[in-house]
Amino acid sequence: GLSLCNDERITAGCEGDLQATLTMMIVSFVTKLPCWMANTCRIDVEENTVTLAHCTIATEMIDPAKSSLKTHRESGKSVAIDGLLKDSDVTLVRFGNGKMLIAPGKIVRSCMNDDGLCRTQAEVKLKGSVEDFIANALGNHVVLAYGNIEQKLLDFCKLGG
């Protein structure tokens, strides 16, 4: 349901995370595209990567021919998407406490089939320091948008003061 809503540009977040859902609304507003709310699961300081995972993603963001449906990880029930994301430049975003975390990067792996993580998984190599990313985190969930949208987000922030 969340995936289909986001495909139709009806912003739908989960787990009651209103800040991440607001971030999704902002990102969708500036890009006119769906985005993905995900958990920050792992960091690798040496490789400067962050691993993201969540059991839902807009179907427009994945390759349906290389994706599958599985059960929800934590409950083992219902259905969740195991989606393959594009090898693409991305921007990780999180709004909260009057601030916005903006972290450009590139997807280096996806669809990793790690049973210990939510179904859709992606590893992102950041352009900035992963240590700075974690030190400035505004919550566990971050929003992933395709492309480097850093300037669009900075312009949005200037408009909002």
Side-chain angles (χ1 to χ4, degrees), residues 12-13 20 29 36 41 43 45 56 58 60 63 71 75 82 85 90 106 112 118 130 139 154:
F29 173 77
W36 179 44
C41 299
I43 61 165
V45 175
T56 186
E60 283 185 37
D63 181 344
T71 58
S75 68
D82 181 359
L85 283 82
V90 295
K106 181 173 179 61
M112 295 149 12
C118 291
V130 72
L154 291 172

Side-chain angles (χ1 to χ4, degrees), residues 9-10 21-22 32 36 44 48 60 72-73 91 99 111 114 119-120 134 136 146 159:
R9 306 309 183 270
I10 301 167
T21 303
L22 177 59
K32 309 292 187 250
W36 179 44
D44 184 326
N48 204 52
E60 283 185 37
H72 178 256
R73 187 188 74 80
T91 306
K99 299 177 183 180
C111 222
D114 183 331
R119 303 308 186 201
T120 296
I134 295 301
N136 292 293
Y146 280 127
L159 283 173

Side-chain angles (χ1 to χ4, degrees), residues 6 11-14 17-31 33-40 52 54 61 85 90-95 100-104 124 126 133 139-147 149 153:
N6 284 307
T11 302
C14 57
D17 189 338
L18 297 179
Q19 296 291 358
T21 303
L22 177 59
T23 304
M24 292 176 74
M25 293 174 73
I26 293 167
V27 169
S28 291
F29 173 77
V30 301
T31 65
L33 296 169
C35 51
W36 179 44
M37 172 199 275
N39 297 308
T40 304
L52 306 173
H54 223 288
M61 295 185 72
L85 283 82
V90 295
T91 306
L92 305 183
V93 188
R94 172 72 185 217
F95 178 77
M100 185 176 285
L101 173 68
I102 304 170
V124 177
L126 298 180
F133 174 81
N140 181 56
H141 288 126
V142 293
V143 174
L144 180 144
Y146 280 127
I149 62 166
L153 292 168

Side-chain angles (χ1 to χ4, degrees), residues 73-89:
R73 187 188 74 80
E74 290 88 351
S75 68
K77 298 178 182 179
S78 194
V79 67
I81 296 173
D82 181 359
L84 177 67
L85 283 82
K86 300 176 208 169
D87 290 335
S88 170
D89 287 337

